[in-house]
Amino acid sequence: IGAMAMANRRKTILPTTLTSDLRDRIECGDYKEAIEIAKGSDSFLGRVLSAAMAAAPRGASAMTKVMHQHAQELTTRRFRRVELLNVLGQISPMIGLFGTVYGMILAFQAIVASGGTADPVMLAGGIGTALTTTFWGLVVAIPALAGFAVLRNRIDELTVEATIQAEELLAIFDAPAPKPAPRRRSAVTASQPVEVLT
């Protein structure tokens, strides 16, 4: 849980400094430097933008399409990694239940072996085995399922936020260039004679 929490922090998915640096470079028209910054980042946002900018020669729509595809692939990979916690949380109680059944079998075998008047100490051994395995199954399952739920929600939230940030940054590429301001016409033109008042 700790390792997966560290791997899915905001710093590894949506670094604040990366967003501001890329925005500054793109707005200044320094696209080559922006691409190098994106490639140099190992974060989710960096990888998504790096893949999208590689498709720049094909146009803005191609960049957006590649960005969404790459974001979906990376998000799916992160979900698959934390899915291990869900599997662990589902299997652990089953293993505990297996131990419970085994412990009860031992207890009933003690009753049969004693002819119906089993020693409480012998019964306690089987019942203790049943409860111990159930206990440890729950000890593993509860944190695993809780961690899975928290991490899945965090991944979902941060990857969606990073995808929106990537869309906003790519929109700057497609923004129309500002039109030059119209030239103001002089009050006196060459076609108009200048009258000198005396």
Side-chain angles (χ1 to χ4, degrees):
I1 293 172
M4 291 180 183
M6 292 292 290
N8 292 289
R9 295 174 297 165
R10 177 174 288 272
K11 185 178 179 181
T12 61
I13 296 177
L14 182 59
T16 306
T17 55
L18 177 64
T19 305
S20 58
D21 288 347
L22 287 172
R23 186 179 298 277
D24 292 341
R25 297 296 187 279
I26 295 172
E27 287 178 347
C28 292
D30 193 356
Y31 302 126
K32 186 175 181 180
E33 183 66 21
I35 292 172
E36 292 300 322
I37 292 175
K39 284 183 178 179
S41 174
D42 196 36
S43 65
F44 177 91
L45 179 63
R47 291 184 178 184
V48 166
L49 286 174
S50 179
M53 290 177 181
R58 290 182 283 163
S61 60
M63 292 173 67
T64 303
K65 184 177 180 180
V66 169
M67 183 270 295
H68 282 291
Q69 288 177 345
H70 206 64
Q72 187 173 4
E73 289 174 6
L74 292 178
T75 303
T76 303
R77 287 181 194 173
R78 289 181 178 271
F79 281 149
R80 283 176 182 167
R81 287 175 190 157
V82 299
E83 186 66 27
L84 176 63
L85 293 176
N86 185 34
V87 173
L88 193 61
Q90 298 292 338
I91 291 178
S92 296
M94 297 297 103
I95 297 174
L97 181 60
F98 176 82
T100 302
V101 173
Y102 177 70
M104 296 307 295
I105 290 173
L106 293 179
F108 282 114
Q109 283 179 344
I111 295 174
V112 171
S114 65
T117 57
D119 183 7
V121 176
M122 297 176 64
L123 289 176
I127 296 172
T129 300
L131 295 178
T132 300
T133 55
T134 304
F135 171 77
W136 285 113
L138 294 176
V139 164
V140 173
I142 293 171
L145 290 175
F148 170 72
V150 170
L151 289 172
R152 185 175 177 84
N153 288 338
R154 180 190 294 179
I155 291 171
D156 186 46
E157 177 186 356
L158 291 177
T159 53
V160 168
E161 187 178 347
T163 304
I164 293 172
Q165 289 283 345
E167 286 178 348
E168 292 176 357
L169 291 171
L170 292 179
I172 302 174
F173 280 94
D174 200 27
K179 296 181 179 179
R183 298 178 66 184
R184 297 183 64 182
R185 299 183 67 182
S186 175
V188 178
T189 62
S191 61
Q192 294 176 339
V194 178
E195 296 182 0
V196 181
L197 299 178
T198 56

